[in-house]
Amino acid sequence: MAFSFGGGANTAGSSGFGSFGAKTTASTGFGFGTTTTAASGFGSLAAPGFGTTTTAAPSAGFGFGATGTGATTSTGLGTSLGTGLGTGLGFGGFNTQQQTSGGLFGQLAQAPVQSNQLINTASALSAPTLLGDERDAILAKWNQLQAFWGTGKGYFNNSIPPVDFTQENPFCRFKAVGFSCIPGSKDEDGLVILAFNRKEDDIRNLQQQLVEALHKVLGGNQTLTVNVEGVKALPDDQTEVLIYVVERSPNGTSKRIPATTLFNYVEQANIKNQLLQLGVVRTLTRTELSPAQLKQLLQNPPAGVDPIIWEQAKVDNPDAENLIPVPMVGFKELLRRLKIQEQMTKQHQTRMDIISEDISELQKNQATTVAKIAQYRRKLMDLSHRVLQVLIKQEIQRKSGYAIQVDEEHLRVQLDTIQSELNAPTQFKGRLNELMSQVRMQNHFGASRSEERYSIDADLLREIKQHLKQQQEGLSHLISVVKDDVEDIKLIEHGLHDSIHTRGGTFS
């Protein structure tokens, strides 16, 4: 399954490993070549595909009628093509320059600040001087526990602010590396993902109203057409809708709006508010990575991930051509990926059930077809015999009154020769009679005894022998007990007999 690596929208919140990260005022995902004041991690992994993402709160209502406020002030997508894109996110957040960005692999503009932060973190974990007595050792252990967990604040000095422990810190223990598919869609394909906080059935039932509402959001330009590429269910009753927009030119040609252009347009504040009213909680593009971007991504481990672990993940990649390492930080991210995996497993199982039903239906059709073929073959044989009989009768009537011709005489002689050879005792007829006798004998013996043969596994045969041996030992023991009992009975009878004789002599 594919998961998005992308730049976050310019909204206040956290960015990092699958929505775990340092608090920043504005962030992007993979901001290659960008300057930043605080490093952020991977973008949100909530939906398949690499690209830029944005997260917004779900709307209270669900309707595709009016698009809300701000619709009269927005400009259509067709009029914004080629203009005002200098500040947008180029190619899903790659190769862009922004004043406020949190690129994961960009150059760190304030290395001294990060160096001081590292020193403060080390002081909080090893030698805090907050209380000035033996309680500082207990505080150090508490700070270590918070750092391992990836949450809380580490107090270490009265004059220096505490250190914020996030799950991106190198001491956090709840980290792992998984693998996700590399998307193959190009920017010119124009595919943009809209994640709705609604169930798949609701989206499919109102798909036409959704298309009309999105067309209004894009300005209602008659030269633009919104198309739905696919609808897929996501965990937590969310639905992913994959769309693209086609622009028709006056000369009759048409082309797709590039994915980055469409994404930059829907990322505008007024357009985003309208999409929020439609129930859109997340938008992202699904574009492939260039070889240079992929190489740079693999060479630089994400924030908080040990380079050794990152290198080992690259070595353990089962399919380096189609998969890429993805960090997983925290139990929430693990739970999210587990839900997505369960969702994909259900979809695969559903597809397997459909394929199994199709195979069963094909097998039934094949059996029916084979039976019909056999029936038609028998019918063809009967018709061939009937045609031959008709030809024979017709030929007899046609040749009636004519003398036997030379070729017919030769044919009669050949037939007589064949008949005599068949009737000879040592020739074919005798052999056929002998074979028929053997077949009848085999059928007779086969009916009297079963010809079924069984093959027993060696382990099973050993168990059977052991069981029979135990049964034999039990029978032997039982026989010995019976013999002992018989001897006892004989002794009792002999004693009774002697007792009777002794009493008889006394009475006499």
Side-chain angles (χ1 to χ4, degrees):
M1 76 186 73
F3 302 94
S4 66
F5 296 80
N10 296 332
T11 57
S14 63
S15 65
F17 304 102
S19 59
F20 296 87
K23 296 293 182 177
T24 57
T25 55
S27 64
T28 62
F30 292 116
F32 286 90
T34 59
T35 58
T36 176
T37 58
S40 67
F42 283 68
S44 174
L45 305 178
F50 288 79
T52 53
T53 63
T54 177
T55 305
S59 61
F62 181 68
F64 300 127
T67 57
T69 60
T72 57
T73 60
S74 64
T75 59
L77 178 61
T79 60
S80 65
L81 296 176
T83 61
L85 300 181
T87 59
L89 299 177
F91 195 72
F94 295 103
N95 301 327
T96 60
Q97 297 291 335
Q98 300 183 14
Q99 295 180 353
T100 306
S101 63
L104 175 61
F105 302 109
Q107 297 179 354
L108 299 179
Q110 296 182 1
V113 175
Q114 290 194 351
S115 179
N116 293 334
Q117 184 178 3
L118 183 60
I119 294 174
N120 294 339
T121 302
S123 300
L125 297 179
S126 60
T129 58
L130 183 66
L131 302 174
D133 53 19
E134 64 277 2
R135 291 177 293 177
D136 287 336
I138 300 176
L139 181 61
K141 293 182 179 180
W142 171 247
N143 291 339
Q144 292 174 10
L145 180 60
Q146 293 185 102
F148 293 159
W149 188 264
T151 184
K153 294 181 179 293
Y155 293 90
F156 65 97
N157 195 301
N158 291 321
S159 60
I160 301 177
V163 179
D164 289 330
F165 293 120
T166 63
Q167 293 181 335
E168 283 75 24
N169 78 82
F171 303 100
C172 182
R173 298 297 185 183
F174 303 108
K175 295 178 183 178
V177 178
F179 301 95
S180 295
C181 294
I182 302 176
S185 301
K186 299 181 180 179
D187 185 45
E188 51 267 23
D189 294 337
L191 298 179
V192 174
I193 297 175
L194 303 178
F196 290 84
N197 195 23
R198 291 291 173 180
K199 295 182 179 180
E200 180 183 4
D201 295 337
D202 298 338
I203 296 295
R204 291 188 180 276
N205 294 334
L206 300 174
Q207 182 170 329
Q208 184 59 36
Q209 293 88 329
L210 171 62
V211 172
E212 295 175 357
L214 291 176
H215 187 265
K216 292 181 181 179
V217 171
L218 297 179
N221 195 328
Q222 297 300 322
T223 60
L224 300 178
T225 304
V226 179
N227 299 274
V228 177
E229 180 76 8
V231 179
K232 185 175 68 174
L234 295 177
D236 300 329
D237 292 335
Q238 293 186 353
T239 305
E240 173 188 290
V241 180
L242 188 63
I243 67 169
Y244 65 91
V245 178
V246 177
E247 182 182 17
R248 298 188 305 273
S249 59
N251 57 6
T253 61
S254 61
K255 66 174 183 178
R256 291 191 181 189
I257 303 298
T260 53
T261 304
L262 179 59
F263 177 79
N264 293 334
Y265 180 80
V266 299
E267 279 296 287
Q268 298 178 12
N270 56 342
I271 303 300
K272 189 183 298 185
N273 292 332
Q274 297 178 45
L275 293 176
L276 179 62
Q277 295 182 7
L278 295 179
V280 178
V281 296
R282 185 173 53 258
T283 60
L284 63 143
T285 58
R286 179 174 291 173
T287 53
E288 63 180 356
L289 298 174
S290 66
Q293 293 169 345
L294 187 60
K295 180 179 179 181
Q296 188 174 4
L297 187 149
L298 293 175
Q299 287 180 348
N300 299 274
V305 176
D306 193 336
I308 298 177
I309 297 178
W310 186 252
E311 292 297 329
Q312 185 63 36
K314 291 191 294 183
V315 173
D316 296 338
N317 192 341
D319 188 358
E321 297 293 332
N322 300 315
L323 300 178
I324 190 172
V326 180
M328 296 180 293
V329 181
F331 293 104
K332 291 184 179 180
E333 174 62 14
L334 184 62
L335 177 61
R336 188 194 65 80
R337 289 181 67 96
L338 178 60
K339 289 182 178 179
I340 293 178
Q341 183 175 359
E342 291 177 350
Q343 185 75 21
M344 293 300 297
T345 302
K346 291 180 181 179
Q347 294 178 2
H348 292 165
Q349 186 62 43
T350 303
R351 177 57 57 184
M352 290 295 294
D353 294 340
I354 295 175
I355 293 175
S356 178
E357 293 177 359
D358 294 341
I359 292 175
S360 300
E361 187 67 24
L362 290 175
Q363 289 176 347
K364 293 180 181 178
N365 295 337
Q366 182 187 12
T368 304
T369 304
V370 170
K372 288 184 178 180
I373 291 174
Q375 179 182 357
Y376 291 151
R377 283 179 177 175
R378 291 192 298 268
K379 188 175 182 181
L380 176 63
M381 185 69 67
D382 295 339
L383 292 176
S384 299
H385 290 167
R386 292 177 61 183
V387 170
L388 183 59
Q389 292 176 358
V390 171
L391 290 176
I392 291 172
K393 292 180 180 180
Q394 184 181 2
E395 189 68 16
I396 291 174
Q397 292 179 0
R398 189 175 69 86
K399 295 291 184 178
S400 178
Y402 290 93
I404 298 177
Q405 298 179 0
V406 179
D407 54 350
E408 295 177 346
E409 182 65 24
H410 289 313
L411 181 61
R412 184 180 66 81
V413 172
Q414 293 178 1
L415 291 175
D416 291 340
T417 303
I418 294 172
Q419 183 68 26
S420 62
E421 290 180 356
L422 291 175
N423 293 331
T426 59
Q427 295 298 324
F428 302 104
K429 189 172 184 180
R431 295 179 180 177
L432 288 174
N433 292 332
E434 183 179 356
L435 291 175
M436 288 297 296
S437 300
Q438 293 180 0
V439 169
R440 292 191 186 97
M441 291 177 62
Q442 290 180 359
N443 291 336
H444 175 72
F445 288 117
S448 61
R449 70 171 186 268
S450 176
E451 295 293 338
E452 295 182 355
R453 298 180 181 271
Y454 299 95
S455 60
I456 302 177
D457 186 68
D459 295 336
L460 182 59
L461 183 61
R462 193 180 304 109
E463 293 179 2
I464 293 175
K465 289 181 178 179
Q466 183 67 22
H467 179 71
L468 293 177
K469 182 179 179 181
Q470 293 176 357
Q471 294 292 331
Q472 183 65 28
E473 293 176 354
L475 291 174
S476 300
H477 181 69
L478 181 61
I479 291 172
S480 63
V481 172
V482 171
K483 288 181 178 180
D484 294 340
D485 292 342
V486 170
E487 293 295 333
D488 294 339
I489 291 174
K490 288 182 179 180
L491 290 175
I492 293 172
E493 289 179 351
H494 183 68
L496 291 175
H497 186 267
D498 293 342
S499 176
I500 292 172
H501 281 290
T502 301
R503 291 179 182 179
T506 304
F507 289 128
S508 62

